[in-house]
Structures are given as C-alpha cells and as structure tokens.
Amino acid sequence: MGVLNTVLVPCLTDNYCVLLHEPDSGETAVIDASSAPNIKAALNERGWRLNHIIITHHHTDHTAGVADLKASYGAAVTGPEAEADRIPGLTRGVTASTKISLAGHPINVIETPGHTLGHVTYHFPDDAMAFTGDTLFSLGCGRVFEGDPQMMWNSLSKIAALPGDTSIFCGHEYTLNNARFAMSIEPENEALQARVAEVEALRASGKPTLPTTIDVEKATNPFLRPQSHAIRARLGLEGALDWQIFERLRHLKNKA
Ligand code: ZN
Ligand code: FE
C-alpha cells in the first residue's frame, strides 16, 4: 500500500479542502468541495485527476463546488446518508457501518452530529489522519446549529478517543481567533501558551495552523478539557458533568 499525499487547498475566506493522492494508482480525492476553481487549480498544478469527492456535512461552504467537480471529472460523491437530500449529486451515502476506502487505505466513518445532524468525520486509521469538518477545530469546535450540546460533546468525545498521534484536518482556519477565547478560559495552561505562540508565528508568515493532532488538542483545546480543574474553577462549575462544562464554554464562545 502506497503513501497518501495530502495537500491543503485554501478556499473562500477561511475554508480548507484537502486533496488526497496515491501516486501508484493515481487515485485522487478531495475532502469537502468549497470552491471548484480553487480545487481544479490545485489538481492541474500537479497533473492529478479527481476520482472522489468526500463531504463532511451539507453546508454550502463545504459543498458549493460539488456539481462543477462532478461534471468536470465524473467523480463519485460520498457523504453522510443522513444528509442525502441536502447534498446535491450524492452518489454514495455513508453511515458508521459503511466500509469505504481510498486506493486500498481504509476509511472509518464516525458519526459526529451536533453542528449538523448528519455531520461525519472520516478517519484513516492506517494513515493516522482524520478529517473533522466543522466538528473539531484547532483550539475550538463548530457551533451547535442542528443538534444539542450533549450530542455535540458526545461527538467531540469520539474524535478525542482517536490515537494521540492522529493528524487532524479541520474545515476552517479559525485557530488564531479560537486562541483568544482559549486563553481567556485557561490562561495558566503552558501547553496552550506554547501553541498560541506557534499559531501566531505560523499566521504571521501566512502558513496554515493545520493539521493539528489529537494530543495537541487534548492538551490545549478548552472544548476537549472539561475535566480541567482550572477551567471548572473559572466557570464556577466544579461539580458539573463534562457535557455541561462543554455547554457553558460553547455559550461563552458564541457571545465572545
Ligand atoms: Zn458547517
Ligand atoms: Fe464550514
């Protein structure tokens, strides 16, 4: 089994799509399809031809390029079965029990509802990488639009349970903004301080802050740290359940 190359493709204001390419077979996929022109340009630059479009959730900033890309390359469109009626051109709906792969690399579908009710995360166990769409961001998480806080916390917990060295590709470059909120919640966290310095340096030189890793996010992302005594004390919620800590953090971030 060959290596899977990854290319981050910035789209729209702050979205990322990711090209996946296996050189031996030439098989190529894109995770989310924000903008067809950007994705086509990234493919053309490398002489790659798109076979698969793989969608995390139905929002327009992740699907606007699907129709054009599908028509241009005849690519198959994979996405959550639960959002089949909201993802135009879907050819294969998936759930947690669907077995899929790319160029022989297995892909686990993890159902991560909350941001939208059908949102899925794609985990490539043999490649130690996962695509979390708008569920987990670096130092933050997506807004809970369609589900409820308990559901979203459950979804984040599934992602947090992946191996620590898993590379995490998120749907947006929100890290610097998220860093400000994280520092207001747990300023004494030294791992967070170090990550914020790294993020500031990366952004100052125009570089992406992604992918991140599960280990980094568990050490720094307040939304994955409801067990932190410092966070609980700051919120005045020492005895609360983890999802209730999450709910309060999400509420505070929405107002920030
Ligand atoms: Zn979204
Ligand atoms: Fe989005």
Side-chain angles (χ1 to χ4, degrees):
M1 190 173 66
V3 71
L4 272 186
N5 295 320
T6 60
V7 179
L8 274 179
V9 183
C11 290
L12 310 177
T13 313
D14 48 37
N15 280 79
Y16 285 124
C17 298
V18 185
L19 296 181
L20 299 173
H21 178 77
E22 202 277 306
D24 296 335
S25 63
E27 263 204 85
T28 305
V30 67
I31 307 285
D32 283 338
S34 308
S35 156
N38 296 50
I39 293 165
K40 285 182 178 179
L43 289 163
N44 289 340
E45 225 175 276
R46 295 164 178 86
W48 296 350
R49 194 185 158 76
L50 192 67
N51 310 106
H52 294 281
I53 303 163
I54 302 176
I55 300 296
T56 58
H57 68 294
H58 70 79
H59 283 158
T60 309
D61 64 308
H62 300 255
T63 57
V66 169
D68 184 340
L69 292 171
K70 187 183 181 188
S72 300
Y73 299 97
V77 185
T78 297
E81 176 62 30
E83 297 182 353
D85 54 345
R86 303 184 75 174
I87 302 172
L90 193 74
T91 46
R92 176 175 60 172
V94 295
T95 69
S97 53
T98 315
K99 293 272 158 270
I100 59 174
S101 63
L102 178 71
H105 296 239
I107 308 172
N108 297 330
V109 179
I110 305 173
E111 292 175 9
T112 49
H115 178 73
T116 67
L117 285 176
H119 194 298
V120 296
T121 288
Y122 297 99
H123 176 223
F124 291 61
D126 292 2
D127 305 280
M129 59 186 184
F131 299 85
T132 61
D134 287 1
T135 299
L136 178 66
F137 296 129
S138 186
L139 299 181
C141 71
R143 284 178 184 255
V144 184
F145 285 128
E146 297 180 10
D148 60 44
Q150 214 170 343
M151 179 191 286
M152 186 71 167
W153 167 246
N154 186 46
S155 294
L156 289 169
S157 301
K158 291 183 192 173
I159 295 171
L162 295 174
D165 64 351
T166 308
S167 291
I168 301 298
F169 293 81
C170 316
H172 291 267
E173 179 60 69
Y174 286 160
T175 318
L176 195 54
N177 177 279
N178 289 340
R180 283 185 270 276
F181 177 74
M183 282 297 284
S184 77
I185 295 297
E186 203 179 16
E188 56 278 279
N189 179 339
E190 290 177 8
L192 173 59
Q193 294 163 10
R195 174 66 173 150
V196 172
E198 178 189 48
V199 164
E200 285 172 345
L202 285 168
R203 294 313 288 159
S205 55
K207 293 192 183 116
T209 62
L210 302 170
T212 178
T213 69
I214 290 294
D215 276 340
V216 166
E217 294 308 312
K218 278 160 77 171
T220 59
N221 186 330
F223 293 96
L224 296 187
R225 297 178 53 74
Q227 78 291 351
S228 156
H229 295 300
I231 291 178
R232 286 172 169 258
R234 187 158 283 101
L235 299 178
L237 289 173
E238 278 91 344
L241 299 171
D242 286 352
W243 75 264
Q244 294 170 320
I245 304 287
F246 168 79
E247 178 179 46
R248 178 68 63 85
L249 289 172
R250 191 59 261 180
H251 176 74
L252 291 171
K253 177 70 164 68
N254 289 352
K255 292 192 308 180

PDB file of all heavy atoms in Angstrom, residues 14-15 32 34 57 59-62 115 133-134 137 171-172 174, ligand 2:
ATOM      1  N   ASP A  14     -11.909  31.317   4.645  1.00  0.00           N
ATOM      2  CA  ASP A  14     -11.090  30.602   5.628  1.00  0.00           C
ATOM      3  C   ASP A  14     -11.349  29.104   5.619  1.00  0.00           C
ATOM      4  O   ASP A  14     -11.024  28.420   6.582  1.00  0.00           O
ATOM      5  CB  ASP A  14     -11.334  31.177   7.029  1.00  0.00           C
ATOM      6  CG  ASP A  14     -12.815  31.320   7.325  1.00  0.00           C
ATOM      7  OD1 ASP A  14     -13.594  30.447   6.900  1.00  0.00           O
ATOM      8  OD2 ASP A  14     -13.207  32.311   7.976  1.00  0.00           O
ATOM      9  N   ASN A  15     -11.957  28.591   4.531  1.00  0.00           N
ATOM     10  CA  ASN A  15     -12.168  27.136   4.432  1.00  0.00           C
ATOM     11  C   ASN A  15     -10.900  26.429   3.950  1.00  0.00           C
ATOM     12  O   ASN A  15     -10.102  27.008   3.221  1.00  0.00           O
ATOM     13  CB  ASN A  15     -13.281  26.817   3.421  1.00  0.00           C
ATOM     14  CG  ASN A  15     -14.667  27.001   3.989  1.00  0.00           C
ATOM     15  OD1 ASN A  15     -15.154  28.113   4.080  1.00  0.00           O
ATOM     16  ND2 ASN A  15     -15.295  25.898   4.386  1.00  0.00           N
ATOM     17  N   ASP A  32     -14.283  17.631   1.188  1.00  0.00           N
ATOM     18  CA  ASP A  32     -15.105  18.824   1.061  1.00  0.00           C
ATOM     19  C   ASP A  32     -14.775  19.580  -0.233  1.00  0.00           C
ATOM     20  O   ASP A  32     -13.695  19.420  -0.799  1.00  0.00           O
ATOM     21  CB  ASP A  32     -15.011  19.721   2.300  1.00  0.00           C
ATOM     22  CG  ASP A  32     -15.848  19.158   3.468  1.00  0.00           C
ATOM     23  OD1 ASP A  32     -16.779  18.377   3.196  1.00  0.00           O
ATOM     24  OD2 ASP A  32     -15.559  19.493   4.630  1.00  0.00           O
ATOM     25  N   SER A  34     -15.459  23.239  -1.308  1.00  0.00           N
ATOM     26  CA  SER A  34     -15.929  24.606  -1.074  1.00  0.00           C
ATOM     27  C   SER A  34     -16.030  25.395  -2.365  1.00  0.00           C
ATOM     28  O   SER A  34     -16.965  26.166  -2.558  1.00  0.00           O
ATOM     29  CB  SER A  34     -14.975  25.319  -0.120  1.00  0.00           C
ATOM     30  OG  SER A  34     -14.776  24.555   1.048  1.00  0.00           O
ATOM     31  N   HIS A  57     -20.339  17.441   5.650  1.00  0.00           N
ATOM     32  CA  HIS A  57     -21.702  17.871   6.013  1.00  0.00           C
ATOM     33  C   HIS A  57     -22.244  18.807   4.938  1.00  0.00           C
ATOM     34  O   HIS A  57     -21.505  19.263   4.066  1.00  0.00           O
ATOM     35  CB  HIS A  57     -21.732  18.502   7.405  1.00  0.00           C
ATOM     36  CG  HIS A  57     -21.026  19.821   7.514  1.00  0.00           C
ATOM     37  ND1 HIS A  57     -19.673  19.955   7.367  1.00  0.00           N
ATOM     38  CD2 HIS A  57     -21.491  21.073   7.763  1.00  0.00           C
ATOM     39  CE1 HIS A  57     -19.332  21.223   7.540  1.00  0.00           C
ATOM     40  NE2 HIS A  57     -20.419  21.924   7.769  1.00  0.00           N
ATOM     41  N   HIS A  59     -23.417  21.900   4.607  1.00  0.00           N
ATOM     42  CA  HIS A  59     -23.333  23.361   4.484  1.00  0.00           C
ATOM     43  C   HIS A  59     -22.683  23.789   3.162  1.00  0.00           C
ATOM     44  O   HIS A  59     -21.742  23.164   2.678  1.00  0.00           O
ATOM     45  CB  HIS A  59     -22.562  23.963   5.666  1.00  0.00           C
ATOM     46  CG  HIS A  59     -23.378  24.027   6.921  1.00  0.00           C
ATOM     47  ND1 HIS A  59     -22.822  24.108   8.174  1.00  0.00           N
ATOM     48  CD2 HIS A  59     -24.730  24.023   7.109  1.00  0.00           C
ATOM     49  CE1 HIS A  59     -23.791  24.143   9.084  1.00  0.00           C
ATOM     50  NE2 HIS A  59     -24.958  24.087   8.467  1.00  0.00           N
ATOM     51  N   THR A  60     -23.192  24.899   2.636  1.00  0.00           N
ATOM     52  CA  THR A  60     -22.778  25.372   1.308  1.00  0.00           C
ATOM     53  C   THR A  60     -21.278  25.611   1.213  1.00  0.00           C
ATOM     54  O   THR A  60     -20.677  25.372   0.157  1.00  0.00           O
ATOM     55  CB  THR A  60     -23.524  26.687   0.978  1.00  0.00           C
ATOM     56  OG1 THR A  60     -24.915  26.471   1.198  1.00  0.00           O
ATOM     57  CG2 THR A  60     -23.300  27.093  -0.461  1.00  0.00           C
ATOM     58  N   ASP A  61     -20.661  26.080   2.303  1.00  0.00           N
ATOM     59  CA  ASP A  61     -19.218  26.357   2.224  1.00  0.00           C
ATOM     60  C   ASP A  61     -18.391  25.067   2.171  1.00  0.00           C
ATOM     61  O   ASP A  61     -17.163  25.129   2.088  1.00  0.00           O
ATOM     62  CB  ASP A  61     -18.756  27.288   3.367  1.00  0.00           C
ATOM     63  CG  ASP A  61     -18.926  26.675   4.746  1.00  0.00           C
ATOM     64  OD1 ASP A  61     -20.029  26.199   5.064  1.00  0.00           O
ATOM     65  OD2 ASP A  61     -17.932  26.676   5.519  1.00  0.00           O
ATOM     66  N   HIS A  62     -19.065  23.898   2.202  1.00  0.00           N
ATOM     67  CA  HIS A  62     -18.365  22.615   2.050  1.00  0.00           C
ATOM     68  C   HIS A  62     -18.834  21.847   0.813  1.00  0.00           C
ATOM     69  O   HIS A  62     -18.283  20.796   0.499  1.00  0.00           O
ATOM     70  CB  HIS A  62     -18.548  21.744   3.309  1.00  0.00           C
ATOM     71  CG  HIS A  62     -18.010  22.419   4.541  1.00  0.00           C
ATOM     72  ND1 HIS A  62     -16.836  22.048   5.142  1.00  0.00           N
ATOM     73  CD2 HIS A  62     -18.467  23.496   5.241  1.00  0.00           C
ATOM     74  CE1 HIS A  62     -16.586  22.860   6.177  1.00  0.00           C
ATOM     75  NE2 HIS A  62     -17.576  23.742   6.249  1.00  0.00           N
ATOM     76  N   HIS A 115     -23.113  19.975  14.965  1.00  0.00           N
ATOM     77  CA  HIS A 115     -23.032  21.139  14.068  1.00  0.00           C
ATOM     78  C   HIS A 115     -24.161  21.035  13.042  1.00  0.00           C
ATOM     79  O   HIS A 115     -24.948  21.953  12.859  1.00  0.00           O
ATOM     80  CB  HIS A 115     -21.653  21.158  13.413  1.00  0.00           C
ATOM     81  CG  HIS A 115     -21.439  22.272  12.442  1.00  0.00           C
ATOM     82  ND1 HIS A 115     -21.260  23.579  12.824  1.00  0.00           N
ATOM     83  CD2 HIS A 115     -21.358  22.275  11.079  1.00  0.00           C
ATOM     84  CE1 HIS A 115     -21.083  24.332  11.751  1.00  0.00           C
ATOM     85  NE2 HIS A 115     -21.145  23.570  10.680  1.00  0.00           N
ATOM     86  N   GLY A 133     -14.100  18.239   9.571  1.00  0.00           N
ATOM     87  CA  GLY A 133     -15.065  19.210   9.070  1.00  0.00           C
ATOM     88  C   GLY A 133     -15.262  20.366  10.034  1.00  0.00           C
ATOM     89  O   GLY A 133     -14.299  21.001  10.468  1.00  0.00           O
ATOM     90  N   ASP A 134     -16.532  20.625  10.387  1.00  0.00           N
ATOM     91  CA  ASP A 134     -16.850  21.718  11.309  1.00  0.00           C
ATOM     92  C   ASP A 134     -17.242  21.179  12.686  1.00  0.00           C
ATOM     93  O   ASP A 134     -17.998  21.823  13.412  1.00  0.00           O
ATOM     94  CB  ASP A 134     -17.988  22.582  10.750  1.00  0.00           C
ATOM     95  CG  ASP A 134     -17.531  23.449   9.591  1.00  0.00           C
ATOM     96  OD1 ASP A 134     -16.350  23.370   9.204  1.00  0.00           O
ATOM     97  OD2 ASP A 134     -18.375  24.207   9.055  1.00  0.00           O
ATOM     98  N   PHE A 137     -12.303  22.016  15.624  1.00  0.00           N
ATOM     99  CA  PHE A 137     -11.310  22.924  15.055  1.00  0.00           C
ATOM    100  C   PHE A 137     -10.100  22.930  15.972  1.00  0.00           C
ATOM    101  O   PHE A 137     -10.186  22.503  17.131  1.00  0.00           O
ATOM    102  CB  PHE A 137     -11.859  24.358  14.948  1.00  0.00           C
ATOM    103  CG  PHE A 137     -13.027  24.499  14.013  1.00  0.00           C
ATOM    104  CD1 PHE A 137     -14.188  25.122  14.437  1.00  0.00           C
ATOM    105  CD2 PHE A 137     -12.959  24.021  12.709  1.00  0.00           C
ATOM    106  CE1 PHE A 137     -15.275  25.265  13.574  1.00  0.00           C
ATOM    107  CE2 PHE A 137     -14.038  24.157  11.844  1.00  0.00           C
ATOM    108  CZ  PHE A 137     -15.196  24.780  12.277  1.00  0.00           C
ATOM    109  N   GLY A 171     -12.108  21.932   8.941  1.00  0.00           N
ATOM    110  CA  GLY A 171     -12.724  22.608   7.809  1.00  0.00           C
ATOM    111  C   GLY A 171     -12.398  24.085   7.672  1.00  0.00           C
ATOM    112  O   GLY A 171     -12.646  24.677   6.614  1.00  0.00           O
ATOM    113  N   HIS A 172     -11.875  24.683   8.727  1.00  0.00           N
ATOM    114  CA  HIS A 172     -11.623  26.138   8.685  1.00  0.00           C
ATOM    115  C   HIS A 172     -10.315  26.518   9.384  1.00  0.00           C
ATOM    116  O   HIS A 172      -9.904  25.860  10.350  1.00  0.00           O
ATOM    117  CB  HIS A 172     -12.758  26.905   9.382  1.00  0.00           C
ATOM    118  CG  HIS A 172     -14.066  26.867   8.657  1.00  0.00           C
ATOM    119  ND1 HIS A 172     -14.445  27.837   7.761  1.00  0.00           N
ATOM    120  CD2 HIS A 172     -15.081  25.971   8.700  1.00  0.00           C
ATOM    121  CE1 HIS A 172     -15.649  27.548   7.270  1.00  0.00           C
ATOM    122  NE2 HIS A 172     -16.061  26.399   7.839  1.00  0.00           N
ATOM    123  N   TYR A 174      -9.550  28.753  11.737  1.00  0.00           N
ATOM    124  CA  TYR A 174     -10.109  29.610  12.792  1.00  0.00           C
ATOM    125  C   TYR A 174      -9.175  29.678  14.000  1.00  0.00           C
ATOM    126  O   TYR A 174      -9.551  30.228  15.045  1.00  0.00           O
ATOM    127  CB  TYR A 174     -11.442  29.039  13.297  1.00  0.00           C
ATOM    128  CG  TYR A 174     -12.636  29.189  12.384  1.00  0.00           C
ATOM    129  CD1 TYR A 174     -13.752  28.362  12.565  1.00  0.00           C
ATOM    130  CD2 TYR A 174     -12.690  30.154  11.386  1.00  0.00           C
ATOM    131  CE1 TYR A 174     -14.875  28.488  11.760  1.00  0.00           C
ATOM    132  CE2 TYR A 174     -13.805  30.278  10.575  1.00  0.00           C
ATOM    133  CZ  TYR A 174     -14.897  29.441  10.763  1.00  0.00           C
ATOM    134  OH  TYR A 174     -16.019  29.568   9.976  1.00  0.00           O
TER     135      TYR A 174
HETATM  136 FE    FE B   2     -17.998  25.446   7.427  1.00  0.00          FE
END
